[in-house]
Amino acid sequence: MITNIPFGEKYAGLSIFELSEGTLVVVPSLSLPQDELRRITGARSYEERLLFLLLTLREPGVKVIYLSSAPVDPDIVDYYFGFLPDPDDAAKRLTLISLDDPWSQPLTRALLSRPDTIEHLRSEIDGDAWLVPFVLSELEEELASLLSVPLYGPATSLSYFGSKSGAREVGHEAGVPMARGFCDIRTALEIQEAIEALPGERVIVKLNDGYSGLGNAIVTKADRSRTSFSLAGETWGNFTTKIRDRGAVVEEFIEHRPLYYPSALAQITPGGHAQVLATHDQVLGGNNGHVYQGCTFPAAPEYRAEVGASADRIARVLAERGVVGLFGMDFFALKADAGYAALLCEINLRIGGTTHPFGAAVLTTGASYDPATGLLMAGNQPKFYTATDNCASSCLRGRNPGEVMRTAERLGVGFDAERLTGNVFHLLGAIPEHGKLGFTSIGDSREEADELHALTRRLLCGP
């Protein structure tokens, strides 16, 4: 990773949610395993999930350079500028750079093959800047080196701790509960031995580098043919090949019901300060019910404190290892003899599905996280939100983002700047081709956020 001692000292407490100066070089490249990624509807538009960072242009000392594979619709940019006090001034501090690429490869890989675009990007960087990647791979490290810009993310030398196996190692060191299991599994014999050693009728096998619940398989011990894969069309033969190449964990399948799926969002600053930013309850669905669909903030009060405390211990361990940037932790929560127990499921050392809802909420309301209560507070008013990445309808397909946003305003499901409640939309670039968008519904109570969310989904996407 690039080291810049003066920068590191000046921005030891850097948080991209609390900027007052500097340049964000946003590289939302989906530098992830591409076979799973291609199964996500409108995956290319997921580069737009980081457009919430345009809201940092509220501060006159901030500049944003945003890269994308395809041009961002001007109506989408205008939509985000509508949240700012001076859109015209913000526009002067935003640079959009598009590769106009057919998306046959991750954005960063395509960018590295275009020296003229890199030179253009370098010319736009003025003063202190840092590169904010969606996920950090060797590609992003190479780009940062070429630009001589530090990275706001974990070095690839630490990526193991964001794998399923590495998460178990960190969890053990942090002293947080986990499901029983085995890590660093690769061979067919190791898979079989792990399956037989674990209790219960079913186990779950997770690829080390799986994401959004993709890369999981629920195995019925007595009948392997009943294996349920999160990735549609997956086969056991293909899956074992992936295990051999990428590694996996085998864990007991938690049969306890009801079972909840909270998560925590945290950051570690360049100065090594670890901080839990939020807890969420995840909304899961898909083939075996483990694919991320959205979230609610905050996590339920029954286990919110337990999740926050475990996340804090994990974040401190990762800070000691040298991790920097934003990351998420997923948990299981279940009723125990004395209250609720939270079991660590995985660590995602990257910007994840709960990051953009959190960013949208804090950058539009000015709220800050109170670790004592686990609430976001805008003054004396707590804020709640419900978010989705998957609102889709055939009636939206073919329409343009600006038209849909004007419809939302007309129907009364926009954003109220006085009450600091309402919707913040994202994934708008997926509307024309896929009829798909996402949104974060912000309210002054859990009920208000949920009701607004249900109303918005019904009005825009149907029942």
Side-chain angles (χ1 to χ4, degrees):
M1 180 178 291
I2 301 299
T3 57
N4 185 322
I5 300 302
F7 175 92
E9 293 176 355
K10 183 176 181 181
Y11 293 101
L14 174 68
S15 168
I16 62 172
F17 303 111
E18 300 173 347
L19 292 175
S20 59
E21 60 180 345
T23 298
L24 287 175
V25 181
V26 185
V27 184
S29 179
L30 304 178
S31 302
L32 295 162
Q34 299 295 294
D35 51 351
E36 287 93 352
L37 189 64
R38 291 190 180 95
R39 307 294 183 93
I40 298 175
T41 301
R44 178 172 182 161
S45 295
Y46 277 64
E47 290 182 356
E48 295 183 6
R49 287 202 295 187
L50 297 193
L51 282 172
F52 77 86
L53 289 171
L54 270 58
L55 301 178
T56 63
L57 293 167
R58 179 180 304 275
E59 295 295 328
V62 174
K63 180 178 179 181
V64 173
I65 303 172
Y66 201 98
L67 290 101
S68 60
S69 296
V72 178
D73 189 314
D75 280 348
I76 298 176
V77 176
D78 289 343
Y79 169 72
Y80 286 102
F81 279 173
F83 290 93
L84 305 180
D86 190 344
D88 292 337
D89 182 61
K92 298 174 184 176
R93 292 178 281 110
L94 171 65
T95 300
L96 297 171
I97 298 178
S98 167
L99 302 187
D100 202 12
D101 184 82
W103 205 62
S104 57
Q105 59 185 326
L107 166 65
T108 310
R109 185 181 300 279
L111 177 61
L112 289 171
S113 68
R114 302 190 182 187
D116 55 334
T117 307
I118 291 177
E119 187 57 39
H120 175 205
L121 173 56
R122 184 183 291 111
S123 70
E124 294 290 342
I125 298 173
D126 181 23
D128 289 340
W130 50 96
L131 193 149
V132 181
F134 174 75
V135 58
L136 205 160
S137 71
E138 292 178 354
L139 300 173
E140 285 72 39
E141 287 186 326
E142 182 180 350
L143 177 61
S145 178
L146 288 172
L147 298 173
S148 298
V149 170
L151 278 158
Y152 190 71
T156 56
S157 60
L158 303 173
S159 62
Y160 174 74
F161 302 121
S163 71
K164 304 301 185 292
S165 295
R168 293 190 65 86
E169 179 179 318
V170 172
H172 280 301
E173 184 173 342
V176 302
M178 293 180 288
R180 288 167 289 189
F182 300 90
C183 57
D184 292 319
I185 299 295
R186 289 189 180 269
T187 69
L189 178 61
E190 289 173 337
I191 296 170
Q192 188 61 38
E193 289 178 342
I195 290 174
E196 293 175 353
L198 290 171
E201 297 179 357
R202 296 188 291 177
V203 301
I204 186 166
V205 184
K206 299 185 288 189
L207 296 176
N208 266 342
D209 57 356
Y211 54 92
S212 296
L214 300 170
N216 292 354
I218 300 173
V219 180
T220 300
K221 290 184 175 182
D223 186 356
R224 191 73 58 82
S225 67
R226 293 170 58 192
T227 298
S228 173
F229 296 99
S230 58
L231 191 64
E234 185 65 279
T235 65
W236 185 252
N238 190 55
F239 193 66
T240 53
T241 299
K242 292 179 181 179
I243 293 173
R244 182 195 65 205
D245 295 340
R246 294 150 62 176
V249 299
V250 180
E251 296 175 341
E252 63 176 321
F253 185 79
I254 307 298
E255 303 281 3
H256 189 286
R257 296 296 182 273
L259 186 63
Y260 306 95
Y261 304 93
S263 67
L265 175 65
Q267 71 175 0
I268 301 174
T269 69
H273 174 64
Q275 178 186 8
V276 175
L277 298 176
T279 64
H280 297 89
D281 274 316
Q282 298 182 89
V283 179
L284 304 179
N287 224 24
N288 61 13
H290 287 173
V291 179
Y292 180 83
Q293 304 289 309
C295 66
T296 62
F297 170 91
E302 291 84 357
Y303 44 79
R304 184 188 307 160
E306 181 70 22
V307 170
S310 291
D312 182 68
R313 294 200 295 272
I314 293 166
R316 292 176 185 273
V317 169
L318 291 173
E320 291 174 358
R321 301 288 181 93
V323 170
V324 171
L326 294 163
F327 59 96
M329 295 153 276
D330 294 343
F331 295 84
F332 297 120
L334 50 91
K335 188 75 168 66
D337 293 336
Y340 280 75
L343 308 180
L344 175 65
C345 177
E346 63 186 46
I347 299 171
N348 297 301
L349 281 187
R350 56 176 174 79
I351 289 175
T354 63
T355 307
H356 53 283
F358 173 81
V362 299
L363 291 172
T364 55
T365 68
S368 58
Y369 183 69
D370 178 5
T373 62
L375 296 174
L376 277 176
M377 301 298 297
N380 294 323
Q381 176 61 58
K383 294 293 179 179
F384 300 77
Y385 58 84
T386 303
T388 182
D389 282 342
N390 289 280
C391 179
S393 172
S394 59
C395 68
L396 290 175
R397 193 175 296 118
R399 300 176 68 183
N400 63 66
E403 178 189 357
V404 175
M405 291 302 92
R406 289 189 291 273
T407 298
E409 289 291 338
R410 188 176 68 254
L411 294 174
V413 291
F415 187 80
D416 187 330
E418 292 186 4
R419 292 190 64 238
L420 301 178
T421 59
N423 284 308
V424 183
F425 292 90
H426 62 274
L427 288 181
L428 299 176
I431 292 174
E433 183 177 356
H434 303 285
K436 177 180 177 179
L437 53 75
F439 57 95
T440 301
S441 304
I442 304 167
D444 288 339
S445 67
R446 170 82 280 134
E447 294 74 20
E448 182 180 15
D450 285 345
E451 289 172 4
L452 173 63
H453 196 77
L455 174 63
T456 305
R457 184 182 286 273
R458 187 166 63 251
L459 291 175
L460 294 182
C461 301

